[in-house]
Amino acid sequence: MPSGAAVVTIPDFPLPAGWSSSSTVVRFVVPVGYPGPAPDCFWASSGLRLQNGSMPQASQDPNPIPELGDVGLWFSWHVTDPAASWHPNRDTLTTYVGIIAERFRRPQ
């Protein structure tokens, strides 16, 4: 991206029961300075909803993906648990994908 950040795209992210689809595209920004700063927030396919048709908690659709000119269902989802806080010597992009997967395991 022009800023020096990067976007990771996972084209067929499997979703557990409780969602309107069995999979979605997931995107997240890898910030400038990574691995010091953790990725923050993520986007799924625009139109993804809970199985009952409602919007997921802490989300907005459509929401622009910075610097891409594309939109998606934005999840304001952060690494906030002090016991699981981001540590650049331990955590990786795979760690962040696990955080995203955990969010999807709790449809709300």
Side-chain angles (χ1 to χ4, degrees):
M1 296 167 46
S3 67
V7 173
V8 172
T9 301
I10 304 169
D12 194 26
F13 196 91
L15 297 174
W19 296 93
S20 63
S21 180
S22 61
S23 67
T24 188
V25 173
V26 166
R27 292 181 176 163
F28 63 93
V29 175
V30 180
V32 174
Y34 173 85
D40 188 47
C41 304
F42 65 93
W43 289 261
S45 301
S46 192
L48 180 67
R49 299 291 184 266
L50 298 176
Q51 193 169 26
N52 67 9
S54 63
M55 288 286 292
Q57 179 182 349
S59 69
Q60 182 180 7
D61 191 16
N63 187 276
I65 302 170
E67 301 182 58
L68 289 187
D70 200 0
V71 298
L73 170 62
W74 176 65
F75 284 83
S76 178
W77 198 250
H78 316 282
V79 182
T80 58
D81 178 356
S85 63
W86 186 262
H87 193 285
N89 292 328
R90 175 194 65 215
D91 296 311
T92 66
L93 296 179
T94 302
T95 304
Y96 196 68
V97 170
I99 290 167
I100 293 170
E102 180 59 29
R103 169 60 182 97
F104 284 127
R105 280 192 283 275
R106 294 184 273 154
Q108 54 182 341

